[in-house]
């Protein structure tokens, strides 16, 4: 729907002719993502298991007979590790001419599509472990609150940089009216000059 | 009307100092009321405090408030700078804010009753990125406020600034020119006092009042009892209760009627004289008895709307409308507070939707969501309750009456699930998407698909087994979800939303 004005048209669109995001061939995340996901999701429980094991060996703690204490956290760590593996298997992404498609989730499988013309700015970031494993995340900010931001995890560093560069170019192109759209995209909030 | 140089630094009106003190005090009380009233600690403290200490403390607090207000008032300055408004303010740290007119989505003027003798108004600006009001000028002359409002409307609101360019005039210097008044506007909706009163009855405000009343009654029980005894109300209540069940039911009924009447009166006070007008590129809403508020909204900044009909509203056929705008707010305690709300609409007034948002037409019918919604919740809820009820029936024979009551509640819950399923609906017409949900009341969200920021298709194992999916569309004003769609419908809706966003000529956020 377009506001009444010059160039207004309202022709019928056949939904079957629209580009289908389901036909896109998605690229799986980098192989190192499995290690990153396994480590980050099970590290806490493994540490808890080790702490519980040490606690049962300490003479001044009345934990005699509780030899099984480290088992629950270790079991959770094992489940988290399996879950991380499945998560990595389903996680994939793709770039189309005008949008970014990202699929993730094991039980709730979500496919997110973000048009370039709606991205306000892009961030590429990596933590110490990601740096070590050669991974990078790309975060796309759109309007609609914090929950509207999309983080594409599991890209290798080169892909992430290329994706970020591509997104920035596309944002600039759409902001210049390179596609048919966009006048105010890419703007940030109100400018503030703080003394 | 005298000409005002908007390019020069302006200050708050001298009388605004008094209002800063009053507002500061009111804010302090509002923010600390819970702490004060909590568990009666505040009253206990006051009771132990002597009158002299109390007065001394109050005097010190007043001096501090006056000092703070004077510093704030002295440092507060604002002016027009080219295509933006600049505000300098601050108490401990200085804040220098510059807001471009293109980003402003609302200009608000409000005139509390105590401002009127002095001809002052409170002027506010709102932008999509801010969590609260971006700029508030607490106490400027009405003339200055109108000059600012009109200048912002001309410079950023879509009214061609070419006229100013042709004459070579500085737009800020000619703030009096082309001021809009009621003459060049078209009335859209004037509901009248009776409908505004009815709005109070049918809006959910009455439950809020009941909640606050219950909290106050619990917190200040002793003092209320003392007051009730002193005024002789307790005697009336006692006499009424002596009449037995009839008296008790009459008493409760009177209380309910009182609550509803109070809600109606509050609505009347809030919206008194409500008048919605079409100013071309903007809409103007004016209303309020004690606090006369004027909302000046750029039409292009409206990103959607919600039509609401509460359970009581359905009985008497009354709706209200909430205009949606881009916001960084994730959650709101009171969805109607500070929003663009149009009260007192009847079925005939629903054409207003199309006049506010061209191209929006309230659909007569909607596509239902899958029956699996009802089946899923019916089977899961029934299975759990029946299993627990069976166990209780077998092992706890003394509680069989309770089990029977639980089964009766289960029937009500199953009916509620059915109602919820019946209320869900969606439809896309000419690029405008309508999504309806509710239980006893109804809520219809409408938005332009071209404003979609992102689309998500979600499939759970249950959805995958039964060929279903949910679609979540992120919009500048929040998210809208359509659950339990056939998979192909969900994919088609997502594809359509993304296509609309990618081929839209403008991105109005």
């Amino acid at each position: 729907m377009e506001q009444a004005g010059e160039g207004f048209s309202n022709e019928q669109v056949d939904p079957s002719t629209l580009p289908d995001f389901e036909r896109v061939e998605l690229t799986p995340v980098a192989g190192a993502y499995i290690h990153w996901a396994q480590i980050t999701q099970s590290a806490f429980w493994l540490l808890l298991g080790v702490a519980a094991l040490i606690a049962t060996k300490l003479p001044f703690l009345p934990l005699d007979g509780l030899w099984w204490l480290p088992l629950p956290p270790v079991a959770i760590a094992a489940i988290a590790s399996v879950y991380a593996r499945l998560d990595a298997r389903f996680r994939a992404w793709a770039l189309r001419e005008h949008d970014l498609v990202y699929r993730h989730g094991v039980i709730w499988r979500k496919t997110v599509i973000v048009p370039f013309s709606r991205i306000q700015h892009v961030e590429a970031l990596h933590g110490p472990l990601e740096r070590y494993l050669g991974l990078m995340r790309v975060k796309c900010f759109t309007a609609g609150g914090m929950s509207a931001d999309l983080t594409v995890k599991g890209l290798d560093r080169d892909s992430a940089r290329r994706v970020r560069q591509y997104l920035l170019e596309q944002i600039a192109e759409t902001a210049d009216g390179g596609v048919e759209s966009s006048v105010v995209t890419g703007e940030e909030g109100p400018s503030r000059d703080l003394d | 009307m005298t000409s005002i140089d908007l390019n020069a630094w302006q200050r708050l009106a001298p009388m605004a100092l008094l209002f800063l003190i009053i507002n500061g005090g009111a804010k302090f009380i509002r923010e600390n009321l819970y702490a004060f009233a909590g568990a009666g600690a505040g009253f206990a403290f006051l009771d132990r405090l002597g009158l002299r200490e109390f007065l001394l403390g109050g005097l010190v607090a007043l001096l501090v408030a006056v000092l703070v207000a004077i510093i704030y008032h002295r440092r507060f300055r604002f002016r027009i700078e080219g295509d933006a408004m600049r505000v300098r303010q601050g108490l401990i740290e200085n804040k220098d804010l510059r807001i471009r007119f293109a980003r402003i989505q609302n200009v608000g003027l409000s005139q509390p009753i105590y401002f009127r003798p002095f001809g002052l108004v409170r002027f506010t600006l709102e932008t999509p990125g801010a969590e609260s009001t971006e700029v508030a000028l607490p106490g400027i002359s009405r003339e200055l406020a109108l000059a600012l409002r009109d200048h912002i409307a001309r410079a950023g609101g879509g009214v061609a600034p070419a006229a100013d360019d042709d004459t070579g005039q500085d737009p800020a210097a000619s703030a009096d020119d082309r001021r809009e008044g009621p003459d060049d506007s078209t009335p859209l909706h004037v509901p009248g006092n009776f409908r505004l009163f009815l709005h109070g009855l049918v809006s959910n405000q009455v439950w809020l009042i009941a909640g606050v009343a219950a909290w106050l009654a619990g917190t200040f029980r002793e003092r209320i009892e003392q007051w009730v005894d002193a005024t002789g109300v307790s005697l009336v209540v006692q006499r009424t209760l002596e009449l037995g069940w009839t008296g008790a039911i009459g008493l409760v009924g009177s209380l309910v009627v009182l609550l509803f009447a109070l809600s109606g009166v509050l609505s009347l006070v809030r919206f008194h004289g409500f008048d919605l007008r079409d100013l071309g590129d903007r809409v103007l809403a004016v209303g309020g008895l004690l606090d006369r508020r004027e909302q000046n909204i750029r039409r292009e900044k409206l990103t959607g709307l919600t039509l609401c009909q509460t359970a009581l509203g359905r009985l008497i056929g009354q709706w209200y409308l909430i205009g949606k705008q881009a916001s960084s707010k994730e959650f709101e305690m009171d969805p109607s507070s500070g929003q663009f709300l149009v009260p007192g609409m009847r079925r005939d007034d629903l054409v207003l939707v199309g006049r506010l948002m061209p191209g929006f037409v309230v659909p007569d019918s909607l596509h239902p969501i899958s029956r699996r919604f009802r089946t899923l919740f019916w089977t899961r809820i029934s299975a759990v309750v029946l299993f627990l009820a069976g166990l209780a029936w077998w092992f706890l024979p003394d509680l069989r009456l309770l089990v029977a009551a639980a089964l009766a509640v289960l029937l009500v819950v199953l009916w509620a699930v059915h109602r919820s399923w019946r209320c869900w609906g969606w439809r896309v017409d000419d690029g405008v998407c309508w999504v309806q949900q509710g239980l006893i009341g109804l809520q219809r969200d409408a938005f332009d698909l071209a404003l979609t920021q992102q689309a998500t298709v979600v499939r759970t194992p249950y959805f995958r087994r039964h060929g279903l999916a949910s679609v979540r569309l992120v919009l500048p004003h929040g998210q809208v979800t359509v659950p339990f769609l056939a998979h192909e419908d969900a994919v088609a809706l997502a594809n359509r939303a993304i296509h609309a966003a990618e081929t839209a000529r403008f991105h109005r956020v």
Side-chain angles (χ1 to χ4, degrees), chain A residues 25-103:
Chain A
E25 199 174 317
L26 298 169
T27 309
V29 292
Y33 175 77
I34 297 176
H35 307 306
W36 181 80
Q38 283 179 323
I39 292 168
T40 53
Q41 290 184 31
S42 58
F44 171 77
W45 297 107
L46 280 176
L47 285 175
L48 202 65
V50 171
L53 183 68
I54 293 169
T56 54
K57 303 288 179 198
L58 293 176
F60 51 86
L61 286 178
L63 297 173
D64 290 341
L66 297 178
W67 55 268
W68 50 266
L69 209 56
L71 292 183
V74 170
I76 295 173
I79 293 168
S81 176
V82 172
Y83 185 87
R85 208 171 176 80
L86 289 172
D87 176 54
R89 224 173 83 188
F90 291 115
R91 202 173 279 269
W93 59 280
L95 286 170
R96 294 197 291 181
E97 275 180 79
H98 300 297
D99 50 48
L100 168 68
V101 183
Y102 184 53
R103 189 188 68 196

Side-chain angles (χ1 to χ4, degrees), chain B residues 492-503:
Chain B
L493 179 59
N495 282 334
R496 199 161 172 182
I498 292 300
H499 181 262
E502 287 168 356
T503 54

